[in-house]
Amino acid sequence: MSQVHAFPKPGHNHARCTADALRKAEAVCAARKSRLTEIRRDVLETVWQSHVPVGAYDILSHLNENGGKTAPMAVYRALDFLMENGLVHRIASLNAFIGCAHMGEEHHAAQFLICHSCGTTAELESAPLKRALTQAVSERGFTIDSQIVEISGTCPHCRAA
Amino acid sequence: MSQVHAFPKPGHNHARCTADALRKAEAVCAARKSRLTEIRRDVLETVWQSHVPVGAYDILSHLNENGGKTAPMAVYRALDFLMENGLVHRIASLNAFIGCAHMGEEHHAAQFLICHSCGTTAELESAPLKRALTQAVSERGFTIDSQIVEISGTCPHCRAA
DNA sequence: AGGTATAATGTGATGTTATAACATATACAA
DNA sequence: TTGTATATGTTATAACATCACATTATACCT
Ligand SMILES: [Zn+2]
Ligand SMILES: [Zn+2]
Ligand SMILES: [Zn+2]
Ligand SMILES: [Zn+2]
């Protein structure tokens, strides 16, 4: 069941990741009666080109590769939509965005492992960590609204190399 | 000993916080043979004007209040120095900076509680949380270099009000 | 179908945060 | 004192993000 998610491997079949993600996104939006419009889908697809967080202006460049004329605002609006619907996360320490690995699974925590060698970023999603955090915070009389956990280091694959 | 740090109270004697911070900073720099130059000290003092994280350009404005002509670069360089020496932290989710509450005490974690009502931001510094984090991360074969934990919510004082 | 409200997108300007590149000045040790 | 590393000055620009307002598309009611 609650298996520890493996860190994305260098040579994995990423086309499947992307396809899965887009399919799930369609389902989530259908369920929520949110409209996954063309630009939103394009942005999501761009974000899913890899497991490396991508900047808003990189997304923009990608969209405009073939002579498009999309403006930054459109990208940010699409990203806002995708974040509101739990399809994309923002990595604050990088000012960049990454596809959510747990669409629709209502995961509360946004915890990330960021390899500063290959850039690959994965969701940690540790329940014990979440508990420790909740405990520590409530001990201090603080009420949580949102949290950011971003851990930078070296991923297993880069470490092996 | 390892007492739970109280969240800064609204009416506390903050002049003492500032004075303590500057004194400790002098000591830390002396010990490390780092030079706390005028601009670095000015930036540190500005950062310590409150327990609310302050943006680089706000610091800049403050420095230039009386006709100064400091450039952004100077502020960022001072902030880099202060961060390298553990005197200031960056709050990634706010693009802002705050004085370190544990100067010289070699605390490894940078964990913050951010009240989005009053802006007051305090270091959490929870050992159990740090352990849970280390555990969860190493289970996944990841090697930590640095971490960011930023929790937004309502502080005890704002909650009471 | 037509009308109307809401949602989404287009567009241009601007705001905010951060760094590059190179010149000059200062500290400090040999 | 003189060389070298460190710190600062200066100008420009990169990178990230939002405002404000116009236009278009879609939903949904009559
Ligand atoms: Zn993949
Ligand atoms: Zn890696
Ligand atoms: Zn204080
Ligand atoms: Zn508060």
Side-chain angles (χ1 to χ4, degrees):
Chain A
M1 283 259 91
S2 127
Q3 182 200 337
V4 169
H5 232 72
F7 203 87
K9 292 202 181 97
H12 73 278
N13 180 359
H14 185 64
R16 172 179 277 179
C17 296
T18 306
D20 282 1
L22 290 173
R23 194 166 26 74
K24 279 191 194 167
E26 301 274 12
V28 167
C29 288
R32 299 183 48 143
K33 299 197 202 303
S34 291
R35 295 174 47 212
L36 188 60
T37 60
E38 188 179 1
I39 188 168
R40 290 166 177 173
R41 204 191 131 90
D42 288 350
V43 168
L44 182 60
E45 200 167 357
T46 303
V47 163
W48 269 100
Q49 281 197 328
S50 78
H51 293 274
V52 178
V54 57
Y57 278 77
D58 292 335
I59 296 170
L60 185 63
S61 302
H62 184 256
L63 296 187
N64 287 338
E65 253 170 13
N66 300 313
K69 54 186 197 311
T70 305
M73 201 60 238
V75 173
Y76 281 105
R77 284 200 279 232
L79 286 169
D80 285 346
F81 169 88
L82 295 170
M83 286 190 287
E84 277 166 13
N85 288 273
L87 306 179
V88 156
H89 295 289
R90 179 168 196 274
I91 307 295
S93 57
L94 301 176
N95 293 327
F97 303 84
I98 192 163
C100 174
H102 306 279
M103 290 181 193
E105 296 174 27
E106 75 160 295
H107 64 124
H108 318 281
Q111 310 166 346
F112 299 94
L113 297 176
I114 305 166
C115 178
H116 53 43
S117 170
C118 64
T120 300
T121 295
E123 297 198 30
L124 177 52
E125 195 71 12
S126 160
L129 171 53
K130 192 194 166 196
R131 278 196 296 275
L133 195 148
T134 306
Q135 168 73 11
V137 170
S138 65
E139 267 174 10
R140 285 158 180 82
F142 199 88
T143 307
I144 299 190
D145 271 15
S146 66
Q147 53 154 286
I148 292 175
V149 177
E150 294 174 14
I151 296 153
S152 287
T154 310
C155 79
H157 314 301
C158 287
R159 170 144 289 281
Chain B
M1 283 265 84
S2 128
Q3 183 199 336
V4 170
H5 231 75
F7 204 85
K9 291 200 182 100
H12 75 278
N13 180 1
H14 185 64
R16 170 179 280 178
C17 296
T18 307
D20 281 1
L22 290 173
R23 194 165 29 72
K24 278 190 196 167
E26 302 274 12
V28 167
C29 287
R32 301 184 45 145
K33 299 198 201 307
S34 291
R35 294 173 48 210
L36 189 60
T37 60
E38 189 178 2
I39 189 169
R40 290 166 175 175
R41 204 192 133 93
D42 288 350
V43 168
L44 182 61
E45 200 167 357
T46 303
V47 164
W48 269 101
Q49 281 197 328
S50 77
H51 293 275
V52 179
V54 58
Y57 280 77
D58 291 334
I59 295 170
L60 184 63
S61 302
H62 184 255
L63 295 187
N64 288 339
E65 254 170 13
N66 300 311
K69 52 185 196 317
T70 304
M73 204 56 243
V75 173
Y76 281 103
R77 286 200 275 233
L79 286 168
D80 284 346
F81 168 88
L82 294 169
M83 286 189 289
E84 276 166 14
N85 287 273
L87 306 178
V88 157
H89 294 290
R90 179 167 196 275
I91 308 296
S93 57
L94 302 175
N95 292 327
F97 304 84
I98 191 162
C100 173
H102 307 278
M103 290 180 194
E105 294 173 30
E106 75 160 291
H107 63 123
H108 317 280
Q111 310 166 345
F112 299 95
L113 297 176
I114 305 167
C115 177
H116 53 42
S117 171
C118 65
T120 300
T121 295
E123 297 196 32
L124 176 52
E125 195 70 15
S126 160
L129 171 52
K130 193 195 164 195
R131 277 196 297 274
L133 195 147
T134 306
Q135 168 73 11
V137 171
S138 65
E139 268 175 11
R140 285 156 180 81
F142 200 87
T143 307
I144 299 189
D145 272 14
S146 67
Q147 52 154 288
I148 293 176
V149 177
E150 294 174 14
I151 296 153
S152 286
T154 310
C155 79
H157 314 303
C158 287
R159 168 145 289 282

